Amino acid sequence: MTQQDLDQAVAEATGEDVRAIRQRGFSLANPLDVNFDPEPDLRPPQSVDWDALSLQQNVALFAQPFDRAPGWI
């Protein structure tokens, strides 16, 4: 597929003018090139690990021995 074929296919799919598609800079990417990203997103992942957060927040104020509970024989 040539650049002209790609521009034409995108223009037909979007209903845009081919000149507008050329100005936006569509290009073919090699699927084997995993590091292809002209504007990499260097922000940390936008998700929360609730289990890890819970472990950080639920901290005992006093040490509690776990070998025996009170009242056990």
Side-chain angles (χ1 to χ4, degrees):
M1 176 179 264
T2 65
Q3 184 65 45
Q4 184 177 359
D5 294 337
L6 176 65
D7 293 340
Q8 185 65 37
V10 172
E12 289 175 8
T14 61
E16 296 280 341
D17 185 53
V18 175
R19 287 176 292 187
I21 299 302
R22 281 191 200 120
Q23 290 174 348
R24 293 189 178 128
F26 285 89
S27 63
L28 293 174
N30 182 355
L32 299 177
D33 186 4
V34 296
N35 293 323
F36 176 77
D37 190 357
E39 298 174 4
D41 185 9
L42 301 176
R43 296 178 297 172
Q46 302 297 310
S47 61
V48 176
D49 183 352
W50 293 108
D51 294 328
L53 185 63
S54 177
L55 288 175
Q56 293 174 3
Q57 293 178 341
N58 295 328
V59 178
L61 295 177
F62 303 101
Q64 299 176 4
F66 290 104
D67 57 343
R68 267 197 249 183
W72 285 49
I73 298 176

